[in-house]
C-alpha cells in the first residue's frame, strides 16, 4: 500500500485475473461504503509507460482514484480499480488490451460492473482503453461489458501510433517492441484512429450507436464521450501531435458526414488542458478537477 492510499479514507485490496504476476487489479472502495449501499459504478484506471516500463504500475492511479473517491459525490456511487498488464518485454500487442478485457471481466465476476464505468488511461493506457472497444467486439461477453463504458478520459494520451515516430524517431524502439514493425500499415490497424481527416482513410469509424451489425470498420462507443486531457508542459508528447491531431480527426466534418451516411452518429470529443509534465499530470489536482467536472 502506498502513502497516498494510507492517508486516504479509501479501503484498498488486490485481486488477480490471471497467473502472471502482472495480472493484478487494485480495488479502491470508499470506507463509508457497506454491503447495503455499495457503489454500483466504477472508475477504472489504466497506467502508461510505453507498454514496457516496469516503474509504471497500477499504483499510478492512486492519486486520481483516491482524490475522486474521497469526494462525496463519487464516494456514494463509485468504486475504483486500477489494472496492471503484461509488458512488452514479454508479450506484444494485442496482449495489453486482452489483459485489460480479462481484468474487466474479473471485476464484473467478483463485484459486478453495474450499469456504468468510466475508463481513465494515462499515456499508453489511453491507447489501451480505446482498444477495448475494438477488441471488445469479438465476443458477446466483451461486447456486453464495453457497452457499459460511458466515458473515456485520455490523460497525456497516445491515440495514433504513426505520430509517435513523427514526433520523435527515438520512439520507434519501444513502439516496435510493443507492436512489431510498421509493415502493411500494422500500426494503423493497432491504432484507434488514423492521422487523416478523410473518412475513407480511417481504419475505424467510431459511432455512438449500439449495433449488432458485424461491420469491421464500425466501433460502437455507446452514448460515449472521449475526453482528451493534455498539458502544454508535457515534454514527451507535445500538443501539436497526439491531442491536436486526434481533434482534427474527430471534429472532421468529412468523417462525421461519412459516419452519418452509414446511418450512425459520431462520438463526442472534449479537449481540456491540464498541467504538469508527462508523468506529473496524473499526480496533480488539475487532472482530478477535469475528470470531476465531466462526470
Amino acid at each position: 500500500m502506498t502513502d497516498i492510499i494510507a492517508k486516504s479514507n479509501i479501503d484498498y485490496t488486490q485481486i488477480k485475473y490471471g497467473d502472471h504476476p502482472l495480472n493484478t487489479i487494485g480495488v479502491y472502495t470508499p470506507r463509508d461504503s457497506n454491503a447495503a449501499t455499495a457503489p454500483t459504478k466504477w472508475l477504472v484506471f489504466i497506467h502508461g509507460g510505453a507498454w514496457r516500463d516496469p516503474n509504471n504500475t497500477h499504483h499510478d492511479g492512486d492519486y486520481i482514484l483516491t482524490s475522486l473517491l474521497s469526494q462525496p459525490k463519487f464516494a456514494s456511487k463509485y468504486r475504483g480499480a486500477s489494472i496492471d498488464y503484461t509488458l512488452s518485454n514479454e508479450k506484444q500487442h494485442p496482449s495489453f488490451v486482452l489483459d485489460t478485457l480479462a481484468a474487466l471481466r474479473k471485476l464484473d465476476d467478483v463485484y459486478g460492473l453495474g450499469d456504468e464505468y468510466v475508463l481513465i488511461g494515462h499515456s499508453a493506457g489511453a491507447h489501451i482503453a480505446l482498444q477495448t472497444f475494438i477488441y471488445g467486439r469479438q465476443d458477446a461477453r466483451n461486447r456486453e461489458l464495453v457497452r457499459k463504458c460511458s466515458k473515456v478520459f485520455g490523460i497525456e494520451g497516445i491515440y495514433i501510433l504513426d505520430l509517435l515516430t513523427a514526433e520523435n524517431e527515438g520512439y520507434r524502439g519501444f513502439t516496435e517492441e510493443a507492436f512489431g514493425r510498421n509493415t502493411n500499415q500494422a500500426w494503423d490497424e493497432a491504432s484507434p484512429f488514423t492521422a487523416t481527416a478523410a473518412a475513407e482513410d480511417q481504419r475505424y469509424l467510431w459511432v455512438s450507436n449500439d449495433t449488432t451489425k458485424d461491420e469491421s470498420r464500425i466501433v460502437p462507443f455507446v452514448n460515449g464521450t472521449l475526453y482528451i486531457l493534455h498539458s502544454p508542459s508535457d515534454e514527451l508528447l507535445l500538443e501539436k501531435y497526439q491531442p491536436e491531431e486526434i481533434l482534427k480527426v474527430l471534429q472532421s466534418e468529412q468523417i462525421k458526414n461519412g459516419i452519418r451516411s452509414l446511418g450512425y452518429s459520431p462520438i463526442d470529443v472534449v479537449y481540456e488542458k491540464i498541467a504538469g509534465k508527462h508523468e506529473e499530470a496524473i499526480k496533480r489536482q488539475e487532472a482530478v478537477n477535469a475528470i470531476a467536472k465531466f462526470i
Side-chain angles (χ1 to χ4, degrees):
M1 181 183 297
T2 64
D3 287 344
I4 292 173
I5 299 173
K7 293 176 182 178
S8 73
N9 62 342
I10 306 300
D11 288 327
Y12 168 82
T13 190
Q14 290 184 8
I15 61 173
K16 299 288 295 181
Y17 64 90
D19 295 331
H20 192 281
L22 291 176
N23 292 157
T24 301
I25 310 167
V27 178
Y28 307 70
T29 304
R31 196 159 290 156
D32 293 339
S33 299
N34 57 56
T37 62
T40 59
K41 299 181 180 183
W42 288 82
L43 304 171
V44 180
F45 184 89
I46 307 171
H47 71 78
W51 300 277
R52 71 173 180 180
D53 192 339
N55 294 311
N56 291 98
T57 72
H58 78 269
H59 283 299
D60 287 3
D62 285 356
Y63 181 79
I64 283 177
L65 292 176
T66 58
S67 297
L68 289 170
L69 294 173
S70 295
Q71 299 179 29
K73 81 169 189 174
F74 292 104
S76 62
K77 297 178 181 178
Y78 288 90
R79 275 194 177 108
S82 190
I83 296 170
D84 276 325
Y85 49 88
T86 313
L87 302 177
S88 62
N89 64 322
E90 295 187 56
K91 294 185 178 181
Q92 281 192 325
H93 167 77
S95 68
F96 323 114
V97 62
L98 297 180
D99 275 2
T100 302
L101 287 167
L104 290 172
R105 292 194 301 270
K106 185 66 173 182
L107 283 172
D108 193 42
D109 290 340
V110 176
Y111 298 96
L113 275 176
D115 57 357
E116 180 184 349
Y117 67 91
V118 173
L119 288 176
I120 305 167
H122 174 235
S123 191
H127 189 272
I128 295 169
L130 290 166
Q131 282 185 319
T132 63
F133 295 91
I134 296 170
Y135 282 81
R137 302 174 301 172
Q138 296 179 357
D139 66 71
R141 176 77 190 280
N142 285 334
R143 282 198 300 272
E144 179 185 351
L145 286 179
V146 299
R147 192 180 290 122
K148 296 180 180 182
C149 183
S150 62
K151 298 175 179 67
V152 173
F153 290 89
I155 304 175
E156 314 307 311
I158 296 169
Y159 309 99
I160 300 171
L161 293 178
D162 276 333
L163 292 180
L164 288 172
T165 52
E167 178 168 1
N168 187 332
E169 181 60 30
Y171 293 166
R172 183 176 298 277
F174 70 74
T175 309
E176 289 186 345
E177 183 179 59
F179 295 92
R181 292 184 177 275
N182 191 19
T183 55
N184 299 318
Q185 297 181 313
W187 291 1
D188 264 357
E189 186 172 354
S191 296
F193 306 98
T194 307
T196 171
E200 62 270 20
D201 295 330
Q202 285 294 315
R203 176 81 62 165
Y204 305 109
L205 293 175
W206 288 70
V207 304
S208 62
N209 313 70
D210 200 358
T211 177
T212 57
K213 295 179 183 178
D214 185 17
E215 298 178 79
S216 61
R217 294 184 72 201
I218 300 300
V219 181
F221 181 10
V222 182
N223 298 317
T225 301
L226 172 60
Y227 296 88
I228 299 172
L229 311 184
H230 203 89
S231 168
S233 302
D234 190 326
E235 79 285 16
L236 301 181
L237 297 175
L238 303 183
E239 281 186 285
K240 71 176 183 177
Y241 290 98
Q242 298 289 337
E244 292 189 2
E245 287 299 318
I246 196 60
L247 281 176
K248 289 178 185 177
V249 170
L250 291 176
Q251 294 177 344
S252 162
E253 286 303 317
Q254 204 235 51
I255 289 177
K256 289 181 179 179
N257 289 334
I259 290 170
R260 293 183 186 111
S261 71
L262 297 173
Y264 299 104
S265 298
I267 66 169
D268 292 325
V269 59
V270 175
Y271 185 30
E272 183 86 356
K273 294 191 178 186
I274 53 175
K277 292 185 177 180
H278 188 77
E279 293 293 340
E280 296 171 347
I282 55 172
K283 301 170 186 175
R284 293 179 61 116
Q285 192 63 33
E286 290 88 350
V288 173
N289 292 346
I291 295 170
K293 174 181 174 181
F294 294 114
I295 295 181

